[in-house]
Every structure is written in structure tokens, then in C-alpha cells.
Amino acid sequence: MAELRVPTLQHLARNWRMNSQMIAKALVRLAENPPLFNYNPLYGAVRDLLILGVPYEQVEAGIRKIKREKVRNNLLSILPLVRDHFSGLHPDFFQVVERRYYPVGRGLMVPFEPPMIYGIGGQLYFPWFSFWRSNPLADERLSLFVTLVEEVLLQDPDLETAKFEILDFSAADSKSPRELRIIDARDVPRLSEERKTKMLDIFAEGYLKAVEDLAGRRSPSSKDQPDNRPDPDQPSFPF
């Protein structure tokens, strides 16, 4: 039987729909067609470039060792943008932030794990990486994500002054190359408490419907399963 994992905050926002039934369908589809890779090598590349001072050519060579061509090319399309953004920065410190959980409702605790924070000249920076090629967070979904993240950050006095930026590495269309768009979270409208609560209630209801739907299905035998692997650029949970 397909397994539905609890989404991260970013994936909660990405998979939010106008009603719970649409959310359930999206989550079931995702559970039945999980992604076959994640972007973890790029987080390692950021640390190598930003903190350890590893030459770019060496970092690139490491990515080129990935065997699957589609995965390798996807990562290599992002790596130069990562290099250009962090080029010339010399952090005074760098650290990983421990995982936190946001209570969505109905017993659903959604994980939130910032990839890193770093400080330069007394200013704390919190970059959030969005590696989706298409359909990045926008409009109300983006507001939902930023609103929730801000609540989590404000719970920690060590992080409440951090400069929160979203690094969006998407492309304008399927034929265009990726570009880096930097979104200052201060420019993103926040949701009202009423609207946020309503959106979270809808998501929690959709998630529980998806769990029930998957529990009621029988897993087909391997010979009956279609050989259609999911596109890694589609909404996914990067575990």
C-alpha cells in the first residue's frame, strides 16, 4: 500500500487546494507516485561553497558523478545559480537549525527544518531554497508558507531577527532556463488569523481523507503497476 508521509510546511503550502477533496486527491496521487530523487546534493554544495571554500569545479565534478542523466542535468542547471548567489560571501558562522513542528490541527504536526542559517557582520540570514522548476509558491500559497514560517521563527528568540529570503530557482516555462528569483519575505502579504486557520483546517481534512483513501485501497501486484515514473519537477516531498 502506498505510504503518505506528513508534508513539510513548504509542501503543505504547495499542495493546498480550495477544498479538502482536491487536497486529498493531490496527496493520494503523490503517495502513489513518489519522487525518485531529492535535492540534498545541492544543500551539500551550498555548504561546500559557502563554508568550506571548496572550489566550484570540484563541487561540480561531484555532481557530475551522479549516474542518472536526468537527475544530474537537473542539479547542474541549478548549481551555477547557487554559485553566483553565494559568491564573495564570507559568513562569520554557519549552522543547521533543528527540526521544529507546526500544529496544523486534528493532531497533524507538520515538520519544519530550515536547511541552514548564517551570519555576516551581525546580521543573521535564513535562506529557504525552492528548487521546483515549475509552479513555485505564489499568491496565497506563498502567503500561507511565509505566515507559518514567521510564526515558527518568532518562537525562537535566536531566529526572530533573521533576514528571511526565499531563493526561487524556477523557470518561466518548460523551454526556458532556470533563473534565480530572490523573494524578501517582508514583501509577502501575511494571512489574517481567520484565513490561516481556515486554510489549515481544509488541509488537515484533506490529509485525513487521503490517509483513509489509501488505507482502503489494495496495492496492485508489481506486474500490474504502470511503468510511469514521476517527474522530479512536480510537487513532491523531498525525503
Side-chain angles (χ1 to χ4, degrees), residues 1 39-40 50 73 96 137 146 150 157 163 190 200:
M1 184 175 66
Y39 290 99
N40 287 343
L50 185 61
N73 291 340
V96 176
L137 291 177
V146 170
E150 186 177 64
K163 185 174 183 180
R190 303 308 194 259
L200 294 181

Side-chain angles (χ1 to χ4, degrees), residues 6-9 12 99-112 144 147-149 151-153 155 193 196-205:
V6 177
T8 63
L9 279 187
L12 181 158
R99 176 176 293 187
R100 292 158 167 76
Y101 291 87
Y102 190 95
V104 172
R106 305 196 182 193
L108 182 60
M109 301 291 290
V110 174
F112 171 70
L144 175 62
T147 299
L148 299 182
V149 170
E151 287 188 18
V152 175
L153 289 178
Q155 293 175 5
E193 185 67 21
K196 180 201 71 175
T197 299
K198 182 177 181 179
M199 291 178 73
L200 294 181
D201 285 345
I202 292 173
F203 186 88
E205 183 179 351

Side-chain angles (χ1 to χ4, degrees), residues 22 26 71 92 163 194 213 219 227:
M22 294 174 66
V71 175
D92 301 319
K163 185 174 183 180
E194 180 181 5
D213 191 355
S219 299
D227 187 20

Side-chain angles (χ1 to χ4, degrees), residues 177-190:
R178 292 176 180 267
E179 296 180 355
L180 173 57
R181 183 169 66 106
I182 302 174
I183 303 172
D184 190 330
R186 294 174 298 184
D187 298 331
V188 177
R190 303 308 194 259

Side-chain angles (χ1 to χ4, degrees), residues 23 33 37 49 54 64 69 71-72 79 100 102 106 111 114 136 139 150 176 194 196 209 214 235:
I23 291 173
N33 295 279
F37 83 101
L49 293 170
V54 177
R64 290 191 179 280
E69 182 180 7
V71 175
R72 182 176 65 249
L79 190 60
R100 292 158 167 76
Y102 190 95
R106 305 196 182 193
D139 303 323
E150 186 177 64
S176 300
E194 180 181 5
K196 180 201 71 175
K209 284 183 179 180
L214 288 169

